[in-house]
Amino acid sequence: MAAASVLLLLPSPFLRPSSPAHRARCGIATTTTTSTSGRRGLFLFASRCCPGPRRRAPAAAVPPEHGLSQPQPQARAVGSYEAALGDAKDALYAALEGMNRGIFGMTSEKRSEIHALVELLESKNPTPEPTDKLQDKVDGCWRLVYSTISILGKKRTKLGLRDFISLGDFFQMIDVKEEKAVNVIKFSARALKILSGQLTIEASYKITTKTVDITLDSSTITPDQLMNIFQKNYDMLLAIFNPEGWLEITYVDESLRIGRDDKANIFVLERADPSEV
């Protein structure tokens, strides 16, 4: 968003009031004109009661170390860019408030709002070649804050996610040196006195130019009581969270990452503390 600007044209010895009456009077006449670009500018014309133009005293030279430092154009551009990124991220977090990562669906209007903000961030990606910066930008622990993966209707009922099983946090640990990724989906079962457990999915990956090819290595549910609940529909559960395929990182900075996979899913993750897993 471009900030509105006001152009102030300061008095100049070459500017004269537009009429003899004005030249004869003291005071300041303010005239609003329209520039050729269609923008309105404010022009301030000042005249003094004096027989003729007065010479200005030459401005005293100010040593550089005592002068007011002005921000350089490059610094202003960087500041504006960072501010725009910050605004877009804040707007995205606000739109995601109360959406439970989108896992149980949302209105089409809300989805459109979120996806527009995702695309805005992608267009301002501060890391143009993410696969070249995995160690610096991607390695570590992340928490899922939004995904287009959804569990609706019969799937939600069969998995018990409508009645007695709740979804907790989704974490992802990336080990760039080992080319490994571990996804952890937390659960709690109210029917078992708030038993807590998790689905752990381990995968390996390879970099192929701009995308990451992911291969499923193993998956487990712990503890056994939770596995017994999901046993009947385990294939359905794994199919929902199976990471196999390719993924493109479309945005990444120090605290936020966005990716799109070969199934047209969008993933938005934020930096997390590994001790939370």
Side-chain angles (χ1 to χ4, degrees):
M1 295 183 292
S5 62
V6 177
L7 178 61
L8 298 180
L9 301 185
L10 300 177
S12 164
F14 300 104
L15 294 176
R16 297 289 185 270
S18 57
S19 69
H22 283 176
R23 284 195 295 269
R25 291 200 301 267
C26 296
I28 297 175
T30 303
T31 305
T32 303
T33 65
T34 303
S35 67
T36 55
S37 64
R39 298 178 182 269
R40 299 184 66 80
L42 184 65
F43 294 81
L44 302 179
F45 298 95
S47 61
R48 296 180 179 274
C49 286
C50 58
R54 296 174 61 184
R55 288 184 175 273
R56 290 186 190 175
V62 180
E65 63 270 17
H66 297 296
L68 295 176
S69 60
Q70 297 295 326
Q72 297 300 311
Q74 184 177 5
R76 289 198 299 269
V78 170
S80 299
Y81 179 78
E82 291 177 348
L85 278 182
D87 290 344
K89 290 167 69 172
D90 289 345
L92 178 60
Y93 274 107
L96 292 174
E97 187 72 28
M99 291 296 104
N100 194 6
R101 293 150 293 187
I103 201 73
F104 297 129
M106 61 183 62
T107 65
S108 58
E109 291 81 4
K110 175 59 70 172
R111 185 180 299 105
S112 296
E113 177 189 359
I114 292 170
H115 289 190
L117 291 167
V118 165
E119 291 173 4
L120 175 61
L121 280 168
E122 289 173 329
S123 71
K124 298 178 179 297
N125 185 12
T127 314
E129 301 293 339
T131 53
D132 293 339
K133 303 288 186 179
L134 293 184
Q135 185 65 56
D136 296 333
K137 299 292 187 180
V138 177
D139 191 76
C141 184
W142 299 83
R143 179 192 291 106
L144 184 75
V145 296
Y146 175 73
S147 171
T148 50
I149 290 177
S150 59
I151 306 176
L152 306 172
K154 292 181 179 179
K155 287 184 178 181
R156 186 176 179 184
T157 301
K158 287 182 177 180
L159 292 171
L161 298 174
R162 191 182 298 277
D163 301 315
F164 57 93
I165 296 179
S166 298
L167 279 173
D169 281 326
F170 291 45
F171 291 102
Q172 184 177 72
M173 283 74 67
I174 306 293
D175 186 335
V176 172
K177 290 183 179 179
E178 297 295 327
E179 294 188 324
K180 297 286 186 182
V182 178
N183 293 343
V184 175
I185 297 97
K186 299 279 189 177
F187 296 97
S188 61
R190 293 187 292 275
L192 297 175
K193 297 181 180 179
I194 316 298
L195 171 73
S196 296
Q198 63 188 41
L199 167 65
T200 304
I201 299 174
E202 298 185 8
S204 54
Y205 67 84
K206 295 291 183 184
I207 302 299
T208 58
T209 314
K210 293 184 177 297
T211 62
V212 180
D213 284 352
I214 304 169
T215 302
L216 175 65
D217 292 336
S218 65
S219 65
T220 57
I221 292 182
T222 54
D224 291 338
Q225 296 97 315
L226 193 62
M227 181 63 187
N228 292 337
I229 295 174
F230 285 119
Q231 185 68 61
K232 183 179 179 180
N233 297 297
Y234 185 68
D235 289 344
M236 179 189 298
L237 181 68
L238 189 59
I240 294 170
F241 298 112
N242 187 349
E244 278 197 321
W246 58 257
L247 175 77
E248 181 182 4
I249 301 170
T250 54
Y251 177 96
V252 63
D253 62 21
E254 301 302 325
S255 62
L256 193 73
R257 174 162 59 95
I258 300 173
R260 294 176 182 261
D261 70 7
D262 57 321
K263 306 170 191 68
N265 289 312
I266 297 172
F267 303 92
V268 181
L269 304 96
E270 65 181 0
R271 279 284 181 188
D273 188 335
S275 65
E276 298 180 57
V277 181

